[in-house]
Amino acid sequence: MKTFAYFDSGHEFPEEIVMAAGFDPCKILGDVEIGTGPADEYLHNYFCPFARACFTEALSRAGEWAGIGFAHGCDATNRHYDVWRAHIDKPFFWVNTPMKIDATARKFHLRELENFRAGLEREYGIEISDEKLAEAIRLSNRIKNGLKRLAALRAEHDINNLEYLELMNRALTGPRQELPEELERKLDEWQQRPPFPRALEAVLLTGSDVTSPEWMEALEEAGLRVVRDDLSLGERYFRAAIPEDIPPLKALVEYYGAYPQPATRVPSDRRLQYLETAAWENDIRLVISQNLKFCEPYAIDAVWTTGVLKNKGLKIIHLEREYTPTLDQQVITRLETFKEMALQ
Amino acid sequence: MIAIGLDIGSTTTKIAVMEERKLLYTEIVPTGYNVEKTWKELFAATRERLNLEMEMIGGIVSTGYGRNSVDIATRRVTEIMCHAAGIRYSLPGTRSIIDIGGQDSKFIQLGETGEVTDFKMNDKCAAGTGRFLEVMARALESNLEDFGKLSLVAEKAARISSMCTVFAESEVISLIAKGEARENIIAGIHDSIANRMVSMMGRSGVVTPVAMTGGVARNEGIRSALEKKLGISIEVPATAQVNGAVGAASLAS
Ligand code: SF4
């Protein structure tokens, strides 16, 4: 099956329409180990390094893809769309998504999804029927359900931060058809794991998407185990299910109003509510909030989020991180101190 | 029993020795390139000087950026916790610590019982640290040790607006070229460090009494600039420069 890649700063891109069109969706995630030199040639300094890494990946891998989709998320997605189109010879699709949730926004979103479906049909000479969409939604829900059950095991068993990141990477970039069975097998394996290690502290992770294995490992080395999160490469992707009892495109609109909201959406109350509930559900006291350097949505959001969560009695640390595989000692010291503070 | 604290910082390595929580000895040496060699030599020299057999040592706590290189440590603790422990030992009741070291600066908030309630560290940047002062001393062809006294006789602090060490250095060179008095420039440098520290601290977080530690605490010009900006008085313990090691030793006791 041919791959259709997409650049999405959050979880806004309607993968199910791409699946119904007969493609395997693949979220572009960049690679922290590869320098962003190729993308830097075309981009101004103020773009975040993650978006640069995604563009670098697209410049080298676009030949493998049937097309490239963009979903409106943070400002990087908007401007990158134009830059990528100028330098990569592929069919491009732009899916606008509303930044708020109300009746007008839903109407607008539905129109955008209809346009995207029509655009794919035109470009590839195919028909994306409601039946195919419903089938894709059922597959997507099976995947989300498998991920949700696996992620819940983080709080009970010894499943390290890196394994969770790798699981999410696989789910968002690999073939989808066989994924539900793969997840079932993993579930059997994870359920046999030893209990949650007593030496580690359970944390809730929020902020910019973490795609770097080194960062997840650094948390682990500092004695911090992520058991809940609201990342797009995490719970935001699988926490909510897409309704199966209403017309498929309407179901997607409903879904995007119900999933854990990113910082690009307003108002922030729903986002905060999710974080608070997640901490409460798993009896978590420690929250790690972080943003990638130059990631405006989460840098700005953190001021408000950390303040509110602190007032709710949670211990929270906010870190700005670099997009690099080599972590500096200062970040590790901050993380270790955070754990030591919790144990005082 | 003897307790030892080893603080391996980016610029200097410090050792503190305690017996039954009484401070016996402290020493500072440059860290240099080979961290492991440095602490091992310092540890051996200290043992020799105090006639310490290994069996007499009940605990060794290592801290600082090189803490993980100390394989004989019974515990490794971050410098923030050790600075807090050091101040609990030397100035109990302190609620805020300003620590300015060779390559980083920290602001640590303590609760009523001396526990760490929050902390802030400078980002990967030499601005507002001892390294910033060293660069400025070089530009002014002055001895860093004299900075404190010289700044106190300044008529007015020269304005240095750049926070970046490299740009601030060229501002200093321009001020020298314009004939600005050296004392005024030094006072301006101190103001610039104090501004950076105050913005990191965020005024709301400063609960008194406040103490200052780290090598830069010996510079009375910076302390006075901070006192003016914050409108409070700042205590400097006699062990300011070895505070992290003292804290580590107290945690090892
Ligand atoms: S890291 Fe932040 S700025 Fe960069 S693409 Fe993601 S949301 Fe946008």
Side-chain angles (χ1 to χ4, degrees), chain A residues 166-206:
Chain A
E166 281 168 353
L167 169 76
M168 290 312 303
N169 259 321
R170 159 66 188 97
L172 281 145
T173 59
R176 302 300 153 84
Q177 208 59 47
E178 52 264 43
L179 190 52
E181 282 69 40
E182 253 181 79
L183 297 180
E184 284 303 323
R185 287 197 293 277
K186 200 164 267 296
L187 202 65
D188 287 343
E189 193 230 312
W190 281 13
Q191 274 163 343
Q192 308 305 318
R193 293 283 182 89
F196 187 92
R198 295 177 87 183
L200 300 179
E201 281 289 315
V203 297
L204 164 65
L205 178 63
T206 184

Side-chain angles (χ1 to χ4, degrees), chain B residues 172-231:
Chain B
V172 164
I173 291 166
S174 307
L175 288 167
I176 298 169
K178 272 198 235 159
E180 184 67 71
R182 187 182 299 233
E183 299 76 29
N184 294 352
I185 301 177
I186 295 172
I189 292 166
H190 291 168
D191 268 1
S192 148
I193 293 184
N195 283 338
R196 176 139 183 133
M197 197 69 214
V198 169
S199 74
M200 188 170 95
M201 291 156 76
R203 280 171 188 273
S204 56
V206 185
V207 180
T208 54
V210 179
M212 190 171 169
T213 60
V216 175
R218 286 176 306 162
N219 179 326
E220 52 218 286
I222 291 195
R223 182 176 63 174
S224 133
L226 276 165
E227 285 181 331
K228 268 192 216 130
K229 286 197 195 307
L230 294 166

Side-chain angles (χ1 to χ4, degrees), chain A residues 310 317 320 322 328-330 332-334 336-338 340-341 344, chain B residues 67 77-81 104 115-119 121-124:
Chain A
K310 217 178 242 178
I317 186 172
E320 186 176 63
E322 307 268 343
D328 70 294
Q329 183 58 37
Q330 235 197 33
I332 293 164
T333 296
R334 286 180 208 210
E336 286 180 0
T337 305
F338 184 55
E340 288 170 349
M341 269 171 69
Q344 284 178 116
Chain B
R67 63 185 173 278
V77 180
T78 61
E79 45 271 42
I80 293 167
M81 291 305 188
D104 66 15
E115 80 282 10
V116 176
T117 54
D118 207 350
F119 68 94
M121 282 170 97
N122 68 321
D123 267 316
K124 277 198 273 180

